[in-house]
Amino acid sequence: MKKMRKSLLALMMILALLGSMLSGCGSKGQESQTPDPGVSSGEESEAPPSEDTEGTTFGIEPLEKKEMIDLAYFSGAEHGLVFYIMDEMGWAEELNIGFNWSYFSAGPAMMEANGSWDVGTAGAAGAVNGIVGYDVNVIGISQYEHILNCFVRKDSPIYQAGKGNVAEAPEVYGDADSLRGTTWLLPVGTTAQQTLALYLAYFGLTTDDVTMTNMDVGSALAAFRAGEGDGMILWTSTNVTAQEEGYQSVCSCDDVNGVYSTCLLATDNALETKMDAVTTLFELYYNVEDWMMEHPEEMADMYLEACEVEGISCTESSAKYTAEVYEGLGIEKALERMTTYVDDPLGLLDRQISGGEFDVLDTMDYFVSLGSYSEEDRMKVLENNRITSVVAEAVLEKRN
């Protein structure tokens, strides 16, 4: 029944996007309205507090009252799948958490709609967009991406140039001559662009030596099938679909020197008005990640279901592969990542930074080098504590 309601909601969201070019928002089982950013959204209903937290699935203390979380759900992404699983399995409900669902397929659009959601997930590049330009905070590192590849056709000069032309990346295909002047289909301003730039750098090239056509990954795959572009850069389910259709990967995110983190996010309003709920959701999120890694077959089944609900192309083999390569942090590593401190790699701060700050800054520093952001933006993010350990610390306090 939940899956049916989500399917209807996803369809309504697609129609709303086509009609207004705005991301819509809906709650399961009832019509929803866009919440006022300054007002706590959703209903709060009395629920008897649990005296025995061992009775919950992961031993997490439930909220005393039902709290609705406005959720920014990243369709087709493993970091978004965590929310789908906790909802379908009844674990969120067990802790008195309900969701109003908003569906997104790219980080920048999600950040623009930040006034309509409390919690969400996105890749590091989308997260940087949110922490620089909007009232968005990174509260945790979700996972590290592995399913992100640069694809070409079999007859491409890039593929025909072979691999082994770069000593430090022997699995990478191509050379300067085959890459120069090519056209790539990808979501610009994301880790896809970062991957392309690092790939080109192996051959002494930059993104100025190629043409980048900005489109979401689903549109990129469709356009490439129709003969557009010389290459495309895809992630998650579209990436696996491209492999199954016979397109050739010439470089993956694992072949380049970058930290490909995805982020758990919360808005200022959520941290101000729903801190208890956000803290409980944080703890549940990473316990579900542990469950996913311990149950890859069940994760694959749920991923396939979620893609069907969201209208995203996915096969059983794609879902199985996604589950096999999934690398979440889980609760212990997630807490450690946000509460362990290291030196700023650029040496610009007079304090150490958390592991979470290190991961996000790896991506941000790349975009600073492009001029997409300034060093002043970087300093403001750190001074304003936009990559914050406050939720992780609250969880640690509860667990101790």
Side-chain angles (χ1 to χ4, degrees):
M1 192 66 180
K2 287 184 179 180
K3 291 193 284 287
M4 181 179 294
R5 288 198 295 268
K6 285 176 184 168
S7 295
L8 291 173
L9 177 57
L11 177 59
M12 291 171 64
M13 293 293 299
I14 292 170
L15 293 174
L17 284 166
L18 291 173
S20 66
M21 298 303 290
L22 294 174
S23 295
C25 169
S27 64
K28 297 185 295 177
Q30 64 181 19
E31 182 180 355
S32 69
Q33 298 177 346
T34 302
D36 185 332
V39 179
S40 177
S41 64
E43 297 181 1
E44 290 188 4
S45 58
E46 295 289 344
S50 172
E51 297 180 357
D52 180 14
T53 59
E54 293 182 359
T56 64
T57 302
F58 300 107
I60 302 170
E61 182 179 355
L63 297 170
E64 292 187 1
K65 295 181 179 180
K66 179 72 174 289
E67 184 79 74
M68 297 302 296
I69 297 291
D70 297 315
L71 181 66
Y73 182 82
F74 204 119
S75 298
E78 306 96 292
H79 49 80
L81 178 67
V82 182
F83 294 115
Y84 180 89
I85 291 176
M86 71 172 67
D87 187 62
E88 284 297 313
M89 298 295 285
W91 297 330
E93 184 177 2
E94 186 177 60
L95 300 181
N96 288 326
I97 294 174
F99 294 124
N100 297 317
W101 299 75
S102 293
Y103 292 82
F104 299 91
S105 60
M110 181 187 293
M111 303 311 143
E112 289 178 9
N114 72 95
S116 68
W117 54 267
D118 299 314
V119 174
T121 56
V128 170
N129 180 271
I131 62 180
V132 171
Y134 303 97
D135 295 331
V136 174
N137 307 277
V138 173
I139 61 172
I141 301 301
S142 170
Q143 62 167 117
Y144 296 99
E145 292 184 76
H146 293 290
I147 310 179
L148 193 159
N149 293 67
C150 307
F151 290 99
V152 299
R153 302 176 182 89
K154 286 185 178 180
D155 60 355
S156 166
I158 300 170
Y159 184 66
Q160 296 301 319
K163 62 182 180 179
N165 300 318
V166 179
E168 60 267 44
E171 297 303 311
V172 164
Y173 286 76
D175 54 28
D177 290 338
S178 62
L179 283 161
R180 187 180 291 108
T182 53
T183 296
W184 291 83
L185 314 180
L186 71 154
V188 173
T190 69
T191 47
Q193 180 182 345
Q194 183 181 9
T195 304
L196 177 60
L198 294 173
Y199 171 38
L200 294 171
Y202 281 137
F203 304 102
L205 304 176
T206 72
T207 52
D208 291 335
D209 294 304
V210 300
T211 298
M212 295 187 296
T213 301
N214 186 26
M215 57 180 68
D216 65 70
V217 291
S219 299
L221 178 57
F224 201 68
R225 287 169 177 154
E228 294 183 33
D230 300 298
M232 59 180 172
I233 305 181
L234 308 176
W235 53 50
T236 62
S237 59
T238 54
N239 182 298
V240 184
T241 298
Q243 294 181 52
E244 292 180 336
E245 293 182 4
Y247 296 115
Q248 303 299 312
S249 172
V250 291
C251 182
S252 75
C253 62
D254 289 335
D255 292 322
V256 297
N257 185 26
V259 177
Y260 283 75
S261 60
T262 59
C263 303
L264 181 61
L265 310 167
T267 61
D268 283 352
N269 184 60
L271 294 180
E272 292 169 4
T273 65
K274 303 182 181 181
M275 182 61 178
D276 287 345
V278 173
T279 300
T280 301
L281 183 58
F282 180 106
E283 193 170 3
L284 176 59
Y285 184 94
Y286 290 106
N287 272 283
V288 174
E289 280 198 335
D290 280 323
W291 181 90
M292 289 162 64
M293 290 183 285
E294 292 167 2
H295 300 82
E297 292 184 3
E298 290 90 336
M299 176 189 168
D301 291 341
M302 298 290 272
Y303 184 69
L304 184 61
E305 286 179 5
C307 287
E308 290 174 351
V309 167
E310 298 150 30
I312 294 173
S313 175
C314 185
T315 63
E316 289 185 10
S317 57
S318 296
K320 182 178 179 181
Y321 174 77
T322 299
E324 288 175 350
V325 301
Y326 176 73
E327 183 190 355
L329 269 71
I331 185 64
E332 299 301 335
K333 289 183 179 179
L335 291 171
E336 180 183 3
R337 197 70 191 145
M338 296 305 295
T339 57
T340 300
Y341 293 85
V342 297
D343 293 334
D344 178 4
L346 298 188
L348 300 178
L349 291 179
D350 57 2
R351 68 167 176 86
Q352 288 191 310
I353 60 176
S354 71
E357 288 175 314
F358 180 92
D359 288 346
V360 177
L361 288 176
D362 185 85
T363 296
M364 185 174 187
D365 288 340
Y366 161 70
F367 284 105
V368 169
S369 72
L370 292 184
S372 301
Y373 302 103
S374 66
E375 290 186 4
E376 289 75 17
D377 290 328
R378 185 186 196 269
M379 292 301 296
K380 286 180 181 178
V381 163
L382 296 170
E383 290 171 356
N384 295 335
N385 200 28
R386 284 296 181 189
I387 310 167
T388 177
S389 301
V390 63
V391 179
E393 289 168 354
V395 171
L396 280 175
E397 184 176 350
K398 284 175 58 179
R399 287 161 62 89
N400 292 333

